[in-house]
Amino acid sequence: MAISSLGPGASAEKPVYLDSSAPIEKRVEDALSRMTLEEKVALCHAQSKFSSPGVERLGIPEIWMSDGPHGVRAEINWNDWGYSGWTNDSITAFPALTALAATWNPELAALYGKSVGEEARYREKDVLLGPGVNIYRTPLNGRNFEYMGEDPYLAGEMVVPYVQELQKNGVAACVKHFALNNQEKWRGTVDVDLSDRALYEIYLPAFKKAVEDGGAWAIMGAYNQIWGEHCCHNSRLLNDILRGEWNFDGVVITDWGGAHDTKQAALNGLDIEMGSYTNGLTSESAFGYDDYYLANPYLNMIKSGEVPESTVDDKARNILRLIFRTSMNNDKPYGSKCTPEHYVAAKLIGDESIVMLKNNGILPLDGSKYNSILVVGDNATRRLTDGGGSSELKPKDYVSPLEALKALYGDKVKYAPGYTCGRTLYEAEDIIPQEEQDKLRAEAVAMAKDADVVIYIGGLNKNAWQDCESTDRREYELPFGQNQLIEELIKVNPNIVIANISGNAYAMPWVKDVDAILHTSYLGTMGGASLADAIAGNVNPSGKLPYSIPVKLEDCGANSFGEISYPGIESGTADVVAIPGSVIEGGKQPKQTYKEDIFVGYRWHDTKKIPALFPFGYGLSYTDFEYGKPVASESVIGENGKITIEVPVTNKGDREGSEIVQLYISDLKSSLPRPKKELKGFQKVKLAPGETKTVSFEVTPDALKYFDDKKHEWVVEPGKFKAHIAASSTDIRHSVPFEYK
Ligand code: BGC
């Protein structure tokens, strides 16, 4: 490149912005000083479905992005959502984020971030669109599988190592969807109203940790609105909270098609606009991307003085900083994909994510006791990396549960699907002929009569109206007549293990009549092997639920207040009609109020005394753990104090296992209503048979605070508290009283 092309200020010496040893802010200012207004505006919008331009004249490269978050998505066409059909873009599919959360193991979150980051770098991506930390508010949300459960503390502890390790590869995390995209129904239009307490205590903390502790380089604005303003250019969310309170210095990227207004986009903290409605062919300009809100319309607004040029300088600074951190980072590694190490990582995360909800002793399944093992259910064979929306993956390898069970138990294993889910993604349950379901059910039941034991592997899948982006579930029950099927199987064979796969809670009317229940999520490439190993006992289950499983839908706070709370009520006309690539139901403006307020998940079950079928934090093992008496270092703490609580935990069984020890805090009296208790610490300990380890927690005043929305600050009130050492949110082993003075 000729130096003279570097623009004003260029000299024969190497420009600062090209010098990777120079401080990043110097590089940013140097590059910015060489750019024309048009070049700065060009940085702020897409040039293809998944890339935004650099500055070719200055040798500043484009930014390439990819979904996220469970692996690197296959290449997408330049101008439409079709796959490009490359033959070198298959990857490792890692377990869904809800599975990662179920491990309660931040070391595995780090391994996840590292591994997926290496794959993203190898695929030459600068931004990975994930991880997602929207809070699990209702089991009907079609995208809960992409998030980390119902508790802000758990999600926050898990997201930080993922982000940190991912970014060591010179790949930015793009934490999504900021904020309150807690349902898919009407996601492009719904206007959410909630208290500041719920916002600050429940919905923001995991994002805050990802930014402040994880150092995330990018964040994705959500589709929905809050307080009547779309999240992608929401002044309070982006200017006041993200940039003002958290000092975010990264890039705000829209969700695809999430921008709706040039002036708001200019003024309210957005940096890059992606996916707005244009296919590059039908728009007015020769080059469709020029019509984006942050393209020519923005340029014209700056030129006419309607918005100041400083707005684009700020955006360009953020984007240049991202480029220097990623594609122009000379120290970034090369990356790798589908390595044995990545398969081991996927398997380990899958292994530790499996939650055993029930076991009357049938598990681990001893193959020598049975001559015939019948596997029933569509998920035993379905490739569960297909579908689901943007998180769909093209894995190089995929081990199904049926294959893995056959590898372990050999010819004893027979298979019957038991039901069908239809053939296409958007084929609804109700259009599958009933005779077809009846026939498959009858076949499975007949085979179950002759089997020694039945392993049922159903659940949800990634088709629309199940665990799938852009649609919510229509019911809390399992679809495709699975409950009827399970009940008929139970009648003919008393030995039945349920090993369902899903990213969500569902009703279990047969819970008392089955011998064992394993609750597992979408585990990717190695998923079948993890599940089969847990059934066989090669893996001792050690996951715990990252969300509550209510008995029935109305027992969930969000769903107990009627439509105003979920999914919202339509009125008037929406200002957007369609998001490309999405199914949007309704064209009106839906409004929603989070009536349950701060009482989400176990906070609701606890406080309202509505027991869950299986509570948050619950999960069994093939061994037993005994909790000794905790010892607290103090009984009183002050403003800068802390209490250390130590508790010995012993493996009383005869096999190795891991226990997740949880710390909850109760405020016994407070000026504002508070949940009965809240998670403030956890530790996963691996113990050999007979081994004891001491688990240690630190309680600081921060763990005692609530958000006072009148004062707009976190407050701790003097008074009595209790620290609970627990095996789940309802299984408190010991409580330690203390005082804050
Ligand atoms: C999804 C995002 C995704 C983007 C790009 C959107 O529809 O909501 O999560 O990253 O598409 O595929």
Side-chain angles (χ1 to χ4, degrees), residues 389-424:
S390 58
S391 64
E392 180 171 73
L393 293 172
K394 180 176 155 189
K396 180 160 170 282
D397 297 291
Y398 184 83
V399 183
S400 75
L402 184 63
E403 283 165 342
L405 286 166
K406 282 188 169 163
L408 289 180
Y409 296 104
D411 292 346
K412 290 178 181 178
V413 176
K414 302 278 176 293
Y415 175 65
Y419 61 93
T420 172
C421 310
R423 276 156 294 274
T424 63

mmCIF file of all heavy atoms in Angstrom, residues 389-424:
data_model
loop_
_atom_site.group_PDB
_atom_site.id
_atom_site.type_symbol
_atom_site.label_atom_id
_atom_site.label_comp_id
_atom_site.label_asym_id
_atom_site.label_seq_id
_atom_site.Cartn_x
_atom_site.Cartn_y
_atom_site.Cartn_z
ATOM 1 N N GLY A 389 -33.172 -22.157 15.003
ATOM 2 C CA GLY A 389 -32.916 -20.766 14.607
ATOM 3 C C GLY A 389 -31.432 -20.510 14.440
ATOM 4 O O GLY A 389 -30.677 -21.372 13.975
ATOM 5 N N SER A 390 -30.990 -19.332 14.875
ATOM 6 C CA SER A 390 -29.623 -18.906 14.567
ATOM 7 C C SER A 390 -28.557 -19.763 15.244
ATOM 8 O O SER A 390 -27.402 -19.742 14.833
ATOM 9 C CB SER A 390 -29.442 -17.440 14.944
ATOM 10 O OG SER A 390 -29.726 -17.265 16.316
ATOM 11 N N SER A 391 -28.912 -20.506 16.268
ATOM 12 C CA SER A 391 -27.907 -21.343 16.943
ATOM 13 C C SER A 391 -27.734 -22.702 16.253
ATOM 14 O O SER A 391 -26.996 -23.551 16.745
ATOM 15 C CB SER A 391 -28.278 -21.546 18.412
ATOM 16 O OG SER A 391 -29.487 -22.264 18.509
ATOM 17 N N GLU A 392 -28.412 -22.884 15.118
ATOM 18 C CA GLU A 392 -28.271 -24.154 14.382
ATOM 19 C C GLU A 392 -26.802 -24.382 13.994
ATOM 20 O O GLU A 392 -26.093 -23.444 13.651
ATOM 21 C CB GLU A 392 -29.122 -24.100 13.108
ATOM 22 C CG GLU A 392 -29.024 -25.384 12.294
ATOM 23 C CD GLU A 392 -30.039 -25.410 11.155
ATOM 24 O OE1 GLU A 392 -29.833 -24.663 10.174
ATOM 25 O OE2 GLU A 392 -31.018 -26.145 11.243
ATOM 26 N N LEU A 393 -26.381 -25.643 14.043
ATOM 27 C CA LEU A 393 -24.978 -25.936 13.760
ATOM 28 C C LEU A 393 -24.821 -27.056 12.746
ATOM 29 O O LEU A 393 -25.728 -27.867 12.555
ATOM 30 C CB LEU A 393 -24.257 -26.325 15.061
ATOM 31 C CG LEU A 393 -24.105 -25.203 16.086
ATOM 32 C CD1 LEU A 393 -23.557 -25.750 17.395
ATOM 33 C CD2 LEU A 393 -23.220 -24.077 15.560
ATOM 34 N N LYS A 394 -23.647 -27.065 12.130
ATOM 35 C CA LYS A 394 -23.314 -28.124 11.176
ATOM 36 C C LYS A 394 -22.128 -28.896 11.759
ATOM 37 O O LYS A 394 -20.963 -28.608 11.450
ATOM 38 C CB LYS A 394 -22.935 -27.462 9.846
ATOM 39 C CG LYS A 394 -22.561 -28.398 8.729
ATOM 40 C CD LYS A 394 -22.321 -27.533 7.479
ATOM 41 C CE LYS A 394 -21.404 -28.163 6.493
ATOM 42 N NZ LYS A 394 -21.032 -27.226 5.410
ATOM 43 N N PRO A 395 -22.403 -29.826 12.650
ATOM 44 C CA PRO A 395 -21.283 -30.523 13.303
ATOM 45 C C PRO A 395 -20.621 -31.502 12.358
ATOM 46 O O PRO A 395 -21.286 -32.132 11.534
ATOM 47 C CB PRO A 395 -21.954 -31.258 14.468
ATOM 48 C CG PRO A 395 -23.372 -31.424 14.053
ATOM 49 C CD PRO A 395 -23.706 -30.303 13.112
ATOM 50 N N LYS A 396 -19.324 -31.631 12.499
ATOM 51 C CA LYS A 396 -18.596 -32.598 11.696
ATOM 52 C C LYS A 396 -19.015 -34.003 12.125
ATOM 53 O O LYS A 396 -19.193 -34.892 11.296
ATOM 54 C CB LYS A 396 -17.094 -32.386 11.892
ATOM 55 C CG LYS A 396 -16.212 -33.320 11.118
ATOM 56 C CD LYS A 396 -14.817 -32.718 11.009
ATOM 57 C CE LYS A 396 -13.821 -33.722 10.463
ATOM 58 N NZ LYS A 396 -13.388 -34.690 11.494
ATOM 59 N N ASP A 397 -19.187 -34.181 13.419
ATOM 60 C CA ASP A 397 -19.604 -35.489 13.948
ATOM 61 C C ASP A 397 -20.760 -35.290 14.903
ATOM 62 O O ASP A 397 -20.885 -34.232 15.532
ATOM 63 C CB ASP A 397 -18.446 -36.152 14.703
ATOM 64 C CG ASP A 397 -17.284 -36.440 13.776
ATOM 65 O OD1 ASP A 397 -17.427 -37.312 12.908
ATOM 66 O OD2 ASP A 397 -16.246 -35.753 13.905
ATOM 67 N N TYR A 398 -21.571 -36.320 15.011
ATOM 68 C CA TYR A 398 -22.689 -36.258 15.959
ATOM 69 C C TYR A 398 -22.964 -37.668 16.455
ATOM 70 O O TYR A 398 -23.274 -38.566 15.672
ATOM 71 C CB TYR A 398 -23.937 -35.692 15.273
ATOM 72 C CG TYR A 398 -25.100 -35.511 16.213
ATOM 73 C CD1 TYR A 398 -25.184 -34.371 17.013
ATOM 74 C CD2 TYR A 398 -26.112 -36.462 16.320
ATOM 75 C CE1 TYR A 398 -26.245 -34.182 17.889
ATOM 76 C CE2 TYR A 398 -27.177 -36.281 17.204
ATOM 77 C CZ TYR A 398 -27.239 -35.137 17.984
ATOM 78 O OH TYR A 398 -28.289 -34.957 18.849
ATOM 79 N N VAL A 399 -22.811 -37.864 17.753
ATOM 80 C CA VAL A 399 -23.087 -39.188 18.331
ATOM 81 C C VAL A 399 -24.489 -39.156 18.919
ATOM 82 O O VAL A 399 -24.762 -38.390 19.843
ATOM 83 C CB VAL A 399 -22.082 -39.513 19.457
ATOM 84 C CG1 VAL A 399 -22.321 -40.913 19.995
ATOM 85 C CG2 VAL A 399 -20.660 -39.355 18.973
ATOM 86 N N SER A 400 -25.397 -39.960 18.386
ATOM 87 C CA SER A 400 -26.763 -39.960 18.924
ATOM 88 C C SER A 400 -26.816 -40.864 20.152
ATOM 89 O O SER A 400 -26.001 -41.785 20.307
ATOM 90 C CB SER A 400 -27.751 -40.457 17.875
ATOM 91 O OG SER A 400 -27.636 -41.868 17.752
ATOM 92 N N PRO A 401 -27.805 -40.643 21.030
ATOM 93 C CA PRO A 401 -27.938 -41.514 22.202
ATOM 94 C C PRO A 401 -28.106 -42.986 21.805
ATOM 95 O O PRO A 401 -27.535 -43.869 22.452
ATOM 96 C CB PRO A 401 -29.203 -40.983 22.887
ATOM 97 C CG PRO A 401 -29.259 -39.543 22.492
ATOM 98 C CD PRO A 401 -28.736 -39.499 21.086
ATOM 99 N N LEU A 402 -28.854 -43.247 20.740
ATOM 100 C CA LEU A 402 -29.061 -44.654 20.354
ATOM 101 C C LEU A 402 -27.737 -45.309 19.955
ATOM 102 O O LEU A 402 -27.420 -46.419 20.406
ATOM 103 C CB LEU A 402 -30.082 -44.756 19.211
ATOM 104 C CG LEU A 402 -30.438 -46.192 18.810
ATOM 105 C CD1 LEU A 402 -31.116 -46.939 19.960
ATOM 106 C CD2 LEU A 402 -31.346 -46.217 17.565
ATOM 107 N N GLU A 403 -26.954 -44.592 19.153
ATOM 108 C CA GLU A 403 -25.638 -45.143 18.767
ATOM 109 C C GLU A 403 -24.779 -45.408 20.001
ATOM 110 O O GLU A 403 -24.125 -46.451 20.112
ATOM 111 C CB GLU A 403 -24.878 -44.136 17.888
ATOM 112 C CG GLU A 403 -25.343 -44.075 16.455
ATOM 113 C CD GLU A 403 -24.814 -42.813 15.758
ATOM 114 O OE1 GLU A 403 -24.393 -41.856 16.434
ATOM 115 O OE2 GLU A 403 -24.850 -42.793 14.536
ATOM 116 N N ALA A 404 -24.788 -44.445 20.911
ATOM 117 C CA ALA A 404 -23.930 -44.575 22.100
ATOM 118 C C ALA A 404 -24.415 -45.717 22.994
ATOM 119 O O ALA A 404 -23.601 -46.460 23.551
ATOM 120 C CB ALA A 404 -23.921 -43.260 22.870
ATOM 121 N N LEU A 405 -25.722 -45.885 23.112
ATOM 122 C CA LEU A 405 -26.245 -46.985 23.941
ATOM 123 C C LEU A 405 -25.926 -48.329 23.302
ATOM 124 O O LEU A 405 -25.593 -49.300 23.992
ATOM 125 C CB LEU A 405 -27.759 -46.827 24.138
ATOM 126 C CG LEU A 405 -28.152 -45.704 25.117
ATOM 127 C CD1 LEU A 405 -29.634 -45.379 25.012
ATOM 128 C CD2 LEU A 405 -27.790 -46.089 26.562
ATOM 129 N N LYS A 406 -26.006 -48.389 21.966
ATOM 130 C CA LYS A 406 -25.653 -49.640 21.280
ATOM 131 C C LYS A 406 -24.178 -49.968 21.487
ATOM 132 O O LYS A 406 -23.801 -51.132 21.644
ATOM 133 C CB LYS A 406 -25.961 -49.526 19.780
ATOM 134 C CG LYS A 406 -27.453 -49.705 19.487
ATOM 135 C CD LYS A 406 -27.704 -49.792 18.001
ATOM 136 C CE LYS A 406 -29.139 -50.227 17.756
ATOM 137 N NZ LYS A 406 -29.582 -49.951 16.389
ATOM 138 N N ALA A 407 -23.362 -48.911 21.488
ATOM 139 C CA ALA A 407 -21.931 -49.153 21.690
ATOM 140 C C ALA A 407 -21.677 -49.728 23.085
ATOM 141 O O ALA A 407 -20.761 -50.524 23.282
ATOM 142 C CB ALA A 407 -21.152 -47.844 21.500
ATOM 143 N N LEU A 408 -22.497 -49.338 24.050
ATOM 144 C CA LEU A 408 -22.284 -49.818 25.423
ATOM 145 C C LEU A 408 -22.963 -51.156 25.700
ATOM 146 O O LEU A 408 -22.424 -52.007 26.385
ATOM 147 C CB LEU A 408 -22.809 -48.789 26.430
ATOM 148 C CG LEU A 408 -22.032 -47.489 26.569
ATOM 149 C CD1 LEU A 408 -22.695 -46.588 27.602
ATOM 150 C CD2 LEU A 408 -20.596 -47.773 27.004
ATOM 151 N N TYR A 409 -24.187 -51.339 25.174
ATOM 152 C CA TYR A 409 -24.969 -52.525 25.539
ATOM 153 C C TYR A 409 -25.127 -53.521 24.378
ATOM 154 O O TYR A 409 -25.784 -54.553 24.532
ATOM 155 C CB TYR A 409 -26.357 -52.117 26.045
ATOM 156 C CG TYR A 409 -26.337 -51.312 27.324
ATOM 157 C CD1 TYR A 409 -26.551 -49.929 27.315
ATOM 158 C CD2 TYR A 409 -26.096 -51.926 28.552
ATOM 159 C CE1 TYR A 409 -26.537 -49.185 28.486
ATOM 160 C CE2 TYR A 409 -26.084 -51.186 29.734
ATOM 161 C CZ TYR A 409 -26.304 -49.816 29.695
ATOM 162 O OH TYR A 409 -26.291 -49.093 30.863
ATOM 163 N N GLY A 410 -24.588 -53.175 23.222
ATOM 164 C CA GLY A 410 -24.580 -54.107 22.095
ATOM 165 C C GLY A 410 -25.961 -54.431 21.559
ATOM 166 O O GLY A 410 -26.879 -53.602 21.588
ATOM 167 N N ASP A 411 -26.125 -55.680 21.098
ATOM 168 C CA ASP A 411 -27.344 -56.105 20.400
ATOM 169 C C ASP A 411 -28.575 -56.186 21.282
ATOM 170 O O ASP A 411 -29.677 -56.410 20.783
ATOM 171 C CB ASP A 411 -27.125 -57.522 19.804
ATOM 172 C CG ASP A 411 -26.116 -57.458 18.686
ATOM 173 O OD1 ASP A 411 -25.830 -56.335 18.245
ATOM 174 O OD2 ASP A 411 -25.613 -58.536 18.283
ATOM 175 N N LYS A 412 -28.379 -56.041 22.562
ATOM 176 C CA LYS A 412 -29.552 -56.078 23.450
ATOM 177 C C LYS A 412 -30.468 -54.892 23.184
ATOM 178 O O LYS A 412 -31.615 -54.875 23.591
ATOM 179 C CB LYS A 412 -29.089 -55.972 24.906
ATOM 180 C CG LYS A 412 -28.380 -57.180 25.413
ATOM 181 C CD LYS A 412 -27.932 -56.924 26.828
ATOM 182 C CE LYS A 412 -27.185 -58.142 27.324
ATOM 183 N NZ LYS A 412 -26.671 -57.946 28.675
ATOM 184 N N VAL A 413 -29.894 -53.857 22.553
ATOM 185 C CA VAL A 413 -30.642 -52.613 22.374
ATOM 186 C C VAL A 413 -31.510 -52.682 21.114
ATOM 187 O O VAL A 413 -31.028 -52.945 20.016
ATOM 188 C CB VAL A 413 -29.673 -51.411 22.282
ATOM 189 C CG1 VAL A 413 -30.439 -50.119 21.996
ATOM 190 C CG2 VAL A 413 -28.852 -51.292 23.558
ATOM 191 N N LYS A 414 -32.820 -52.459 21.318
ATOM 192 C CA LYS A 414 -33.759 -52.349 20.192
ATOM 193 C C LYS A 414 -34.338 -50.933 20.223
ATOM 194 O O LYS A 414 -34.304 -50.262 21.250
ATOM 195 C CB LYS A 414 -34.907 -53.359 20.330
ATOM 196 C CG LYS A 414 -34.462 -54.811 20.412
ATOM 197 C CD LYS A 414 -34.200 -55.362 19.007
ATOM 198 C CE LYS A 414 -33.654 -56.769 19.033
ATOM 199 N NZ LYS A 414 -32.300 -56.915 19.614
ATOM 200 N N TYR A 415 -34.917 -50.520 19.115
ATOM 201 C CA TYR A 415 -35.415 -49.128 19.053
ATOM 202 C C TYR A 415 -36.808 -49.037 18.445
ATOM 203 O O TYR A 415 -37.112 -49.721 17.464
ATOM 204 C CB TYR A 415 -34.451 -48.271 18.228
ATOM 205 C CG TYR A 415 -34.951 -46.855 18.025
ATOM 206 C CD1 TYR A 415 -35.090 -45.985 19.101
ATOM 207 C CD2 TYR A 415 -35.308 -46.385 16.759
ATOM 208 C CE1 TYR A 415 -35.562 -44.691 18.930
ATOM 209 C CE2 TYR A 415 -35.775 -45.086 16.581
ATOM 210 C CZ TYR A 415 -35.898 -44.240 17.674
ATOM 211 O OH TYR A 415 -36.372 -42.965 17.506
ATOM 212 N N ALA A 416 -37.632 -48.208 19.038
ATOM 213 C CA ALA A 416 -38.932 -47.856 18.454
ATOM 214 C C ALA A 416 -39.120 -46.356 18.618
ATOM 215 O O ALA A 416 -38.962 -45.852 19.735
ATOM 216 C CB ALA A 416 -40.050 -48.593 19.179
ATOM 217 N N PRO A 417 -39.446 -45.618 17.555
ATOM 218 C CA PRO A 417 -39.583 -44.158 17.701
ATOM 219 C C PRO A 417 -40.730 -43.760 18.637
ATOM 220 O O PRO A 417 -40.613 -42.786 19.382
ATOM 221 C CB PRO A 417 -39.828 -43.649 16.272
ATOM 222 C CG PRO A 417 -40.021 -44.848 15.419
ATOM 223 C CD PRO A 417 -39.547 -46.065 16.158
ATOM 224 N N GLY A 418 -41.873 -44.474 18.575
ATOM 225 C CA GLY A 418 -42.980 -44.188 19.492
ATOM 226 C C GLY A 418 -43.873 -43.023 19.079
ATOM 227 O O GLY A 418 -45.041 -42.975 19.428
ATOM 228 N N TYR A 419 -43.311 -42.051 18.378
ATOM 229 C CA TYR A 419 -44.091 -40.905 17.875
ATOM 230 C C TYR A 419 -43.268 -40.238 16.780
ATOM 231 O O TYR A 419 -42.073 -40.533 16.620
ATOM 232 C CB TYR A 419 -44.395 -39.885 18.988
ATOM 233 C CG TYR A 419 -43.157 -39.275 19.603
ATOM 234 C CD1 TYR A 419 -42.629 -38.065 19.134
ATOM 235 C CD2 TYR A 419 -42.480 -39.911 20.645
ATOM 236 C CE1 TYR A 419 -41.478 -37.515 19.695
ATOM 237 C CE2 TYR A 419 -41.325 -39.369 21.201
ATOM 238 C CZ TYR A 419 -40.836 -38.173 20.718
ATOM 239 O OH TYR A 419 -39.691 -37.639 21.267
ATOM 240 N N THR A 420 -43.913 -39.357 16.019
ATOM 241 C CA THR A 420 -43.157 -38.590 15.021
ATOM 242 C C THR A 420 -43.375 -37.102 15.257
ATOM 243 O O THR A 420 -44.415 -36.688 15.787
ATOM 244 C CB THR A 420 -43.560 -38.965 13.584
ATOM 245 O OG1 THR A 420 -42.933 -38.053 12.683
ATOM 246 C CG2 THR A 420 -45.066 -38.899 13.368
ATOM 247 N N CYS A 421 -42.395 -36.310 14.852
ATOM 248 C CA CYS A 421 -42.483 -34.849 15.029
ATOM 249 C C CYS A 421 -42.731 -34.154 13.698
ATOM 250 O O CYS A 421 -42.565 -32.940 13.599
ATOM 251 C CB CYS A 421 -41.188 -34.311 15.595
ATOM 252 S SG CYS A 421 -40.625 -35.185 17.013
ATOM 253 N N GLY A 422 -43.037 -34.911 12.678
ATOM 254 C CA GLY A 422 -43.194 -34.275 11.378
ATOM 255 C C GLY A 422 -41.842 -34.127 10.717
ATOM 256 O O GLY A 422 -40.817 -34.420 11.323
ATOM 257 N N ARG A 423 -41.850 -33.661 9.501
ATOM 258 C CA ARG A 423 -40.596 -33.653 8.752
ATOM 259 C C ARG A 423 -39.920 -32.291 8.650
ATOM 260 O O ARG A 423 -38.732 -32.176 8.460
ATOM 261 C CB ARG A 423 -40.813 -34.234 7.350
ATOM 262 C CG ARG A 423 -40.731 -35.755 7.318
ATOM 263 C CD ARG A 423 -41.476 -36.328 6.172
ATOM 264 N NE ARG A 423 -42.889 -36.086 6.296
ATOM 265 C CZ ARG A 423 -43.729 -36.862 6.975
ATOM 266 N NH1 ARG A 423 -43.287 -37.918 7.609
ATOM 267 N NH2 ARG A 423 -45.016 -36.574 7.038
ATOM 268 N N THR A 424 -40.709 -31.234 8.763
ATOM 269 C CA THR A 424 -40.065 -29.928 8.568
ATOM 270 C C THR A 424 -40.119 -29.100 9.842
ATOM 271 O O THR A 424 -40.930 -29.364 10.729
ATOM 272 C CB THR A 424 -40.742 -29.124 7.432
ATOM 273 O OG1 THR A 424 -42.085 -28.873 7.850
ATOM 274 C CG2 THR A 424 -40.734 -29.879 6.121
#
